Amino acid sequence: GQQLNQSPQSMFIQEGEDVSMNCTSSSIFNTWLWYKQDPGEGPVLLIALYKAGELTSNGRLTAQFGITRKDSFLNISASIPSDVGIYFCAAPTFNAGGTSYGKLTFGQGTILTVHP
Amino acid sequence: EAGVTQSPTHLIKTRGQQATLRCSPISGHTSVYWYQQALGLGLQFLLWYDEGEERNRGNFPPRFSGRQFPNYSSELNVNALELEDSALYLCASSFQDRFNQPQHFGDGTRLSIL
């Protein structure tokens, strides 16, 4: 089945450092999504990518849709304590004919810890 | 604009009981999705409802079921609860899915089975 391999599993960084995480798959996707989940809350959409090669920013966050359509990365610049949380990549699944299955496939998540 | 709202926030049940979880989508969204997030595991797709119809379900037993009402809100029902059903159940909504709209999540219902 379609799986997303997200790395690293966890990161411990100092405030002010830049962060990079990525997601890869053996399958091609037409959309990549990045979510952040804080403890006790649901995932919040950070960035949506719809086109191969697309580079999109949201404040200090930048994400790219890989040119092969099989990967994506998320960068966070100048990290701050409130960046702490779990970051997930996700992609919607479609059949060969382009009909949506409705489901999002999620990566395993990257746990980010920021030390002040 | 209100986000996706879920109730209750927490639910405690015992084995064999039945649980009902509720979700109200973002205004204008017609698709509702349910996911299970067990401790230490990622999000697993449960069900997708659109325009009142079940469109797809994940690899879960039939005791997980639900419905979508005419106002697009949704219920998830879990019958014959088992200990391994303890998890955070997340609801998401989007505009009609065929347009590849991103899903927006609520804060979930924490279901604990004793």
Side-chain angles (χ1 to χ4, degrees), chain A residues 2-9 20-27 29 31-37 43-49 61-66 69-76 85-93 103-112, chain B residues 35 37 41-45 90 102-103 105:
Chain A
Q2 296 167 321
Q3 287 187 305
L4 302 184
N5 300 306
Q6 187 172 347
S7 64
Q9 277 190 308
S20 185
M21 59 192 79
N22 69 79
C23 219
T24 61
S25 175
S26 58
S27 303
F29 291 98
T31 299
W32 285 91
L33 306 169
W34 285 93
Y35 289 88
K36 181 194 178 200
Q37 186 174 25
V44 173
L45 181 67
L46 298 173
I47 292 179
L49 301 159
L61 278 61
T62 301
Q64 184 157 27
F65 191 143
R69 294 163 60 197
K70 293 183 178 181
D71 60 353
S72 177
F73 72 76
L74 175 71
N75 284 343
I76 305 173
I86 305 177
Y87 292 79
F88 290 99
C89 61
T93 55
K103 66 177 281 188
L104 289 178
T105 297
F106 281 83
Q108 304 93 324
T110 295
I111 302 171
L112 180 62
Chain B
Y35 292 84
Q37 188 176 30
L41 298 176
L43 284 81
Q44 303 297 319
F45 170 75
L90 292 160
Q103 297 177 19
F105 286 82

Side-chain angles (χ1 to χ4, degrees), chain B residues 57-114:
Chain B
R57 66 180 293 128
N59 189 25
F60 282 84
R63 58 191 186 82
F64 287 84
S65 66
R67 53 181 172 166
Q68 186 179 33
F69 300 98
N71 67 353
Y72 303 113
S73 67
S74 177
E75 269 182 8
L76 174 68
N77 296 294
V78 189
N79 294 320
L81 287 165
E82 300 179 2
L83 293 176
E84 54 264 34
D85 296 334
S86 293
L88 180 67
Y89 288 85
L90 292 160
C91 173
S93 74
S94 76
F95 292 107
Q96 201 165 40
D97 191 74
R98 69 172 73 110
F99 300 115
N100 199 16
Q101 296 294 318
Q103 297 177 19
H104 298 269
F105 286 82
D107 285 337
T109 293
R110 174 73 61 186
L111 177 62
S112 299
I113 312 303
L114 304 179

